[in-house]
Each structure stands twice: as C-alpha cells, then as structure tokens.
Amino acid sequence: MRKTRFIIPKNFAENGKIYKFSIKNVIEAGLLITADITFFYIMPFPIKAKLYGIIITSMLLGSLGLMGINGMSLSEFIIAYIQHKKNAKVYTAPTSKDKITREKMLIEKKRKKQKLQEKENRKKKHTFTKPNKHYSKEKGATDE
C-alpha cells in the first residue's frame, strides 16, 4: 500500500484572519481611514487638496492599522504605552538619606533573622532525642 503525502501551507484555514491580517487590525485600519476621511471632509480645503490629503494619509494610517507596531495591534500598543508611562519610574543615585534608610532596613532584617535562629535553637534544646547506642571511642564513649 502506498502512502500519500499532502503539503498544507501554513496560512491554510487560519481562523480570525483576513489574508495575512488579524480581524482586529483590519477593524482598526478601517476606523482610522474613516476618521481620516471624516477629518478631510470637514476641513475647508478645495476638493483636489481633500482628495490628495485623503489618499496620502489614508494609505499611511491604513497600513499602520493593518500591520500594527512590534507585532501588536495599534490599540494594544497604545494601551501598553499608556500603562508604561503611568508606571514609569526615574532612577537616580541614592542620597545619604536613602543610604541610611537602607542600612536601617538591612539591620532590621538581620535582627529578625537572628531572632528566628534563636527561636529554632531553643526548640532544638527542648526536644528529646534518643541517645545513640553506638558511640565511637574517638568521641569519648565508654564500652559497657
């Protein structure tokens, strides 16, 4: 019996895609183009200027909406950018006050660690262990 092999291309039956673009990106591109056309329709330019403006900016905005940025859709990128700006921190060299605060924190950590160690040592002293019958002579055990 002869085996038959079929080669299926990668893009065959990919759900949620129109050509190579995700549905989300297509919708975003459509919204950008619609906003662009509306903007130029409202502006008081001559018809020729409106057409050129719509053609140039719609192509740019449409391709930006379809491709996205860094593998993310445009809306995902904007949300990530806003979250980054909201949570951004500026790191500077520590001042003397910062150094003192850090030293206090480290000393407090060390003190807590020592207290836990002392607590464990006290528990070990109070627990009863059976003596080992097989002492070695080197450790000072006596033969009975």
Side-chain angles (χ1 to χ4, degrees):
M1 182 177 247
R2 204 172 127 191
K3 292 184 181 180
T4 308
R5 273 193 181 170
F6 296 102
I7 298 173
I8 300 173
K10 289 183 180 179
N11 62 354
F12 180 79
E14 282 188 28
N15 291 335
K17 295 217 175 205
I18 297 175
Y19 295 107
K20 291 183 178 181
F21 306 110
S22 71
I23 293 174
K24 186 176 186 177
N25 287 3
V26 172
I27 291 171
E28 288 177 1
L31 289 173
L32 286 171
I33 291 171
T34 304
D36 183 48
I37 291 170
T38 307
F39 171 76
F40 276 102
Y41 182 75
I42 294 171
M43 297 306 284
F45 296 136
I47 293 289
K48 204 171 189 182
K50 285 183 183 182
L51 283 175
Y52 287 139
I54 287 172
I55 290 170
I56 292 169
T57 56
S58 292
M59 286 176 59
L60 294 172
L61 290 174
S63 61
L64 177 68
L66 283 175
M67 289 184 229
I69 300 172
N70 285 338
M72 296 186 282
S73 69
L74 197 57
S75 61
E76 289 172 351
F77 178 78
I78 291 170
I79 290 169
Y81 179 77
I82 291 170
Q83 286 177 347
H84 168 72
K85 282 297 184 184
K86 192 165 89 174
N87 299 329
K89 297 177 182 175
V90 177
Y91 294 102
T92 59
T95 62
S96 58
K97 186 178 179 182
D98 295 331
K99 290 178 183 177
I100 291 170
T101 306
R102 177 157 169 73
E103 286 297 321
K104 285 181 182 178
M105 184 183 69
L106 290 174
I107 290 169
E108 187 62 33
K109 264 188 178 179
K110 196 173 186 181
R111 190 177 304 141
K112 284 182 182 179
K113 193 175 181 181
Q114 285 175 347
K115 282 183 181 180
L116 282 172
Q117 190 70 29
E118 288 173 5
K119 202 175 191 181
E120 288 177 11
N121 288 341
R122 276 188 255 135
K123 282 183 181 179
K124 286 181 183 178
K125 286 181 183 178
H126 294 297
T127 57
F128 178 74
T129 56
K130 257 187 171 180
N132 192 354
K133 292 182 181 179
H134 305 288
Y135 291 106
S136 66
K137 290 187 180 183
E138 297 164 4
K139 292 184 180 178
T142 57
D143 287 331
E144 296 178 15

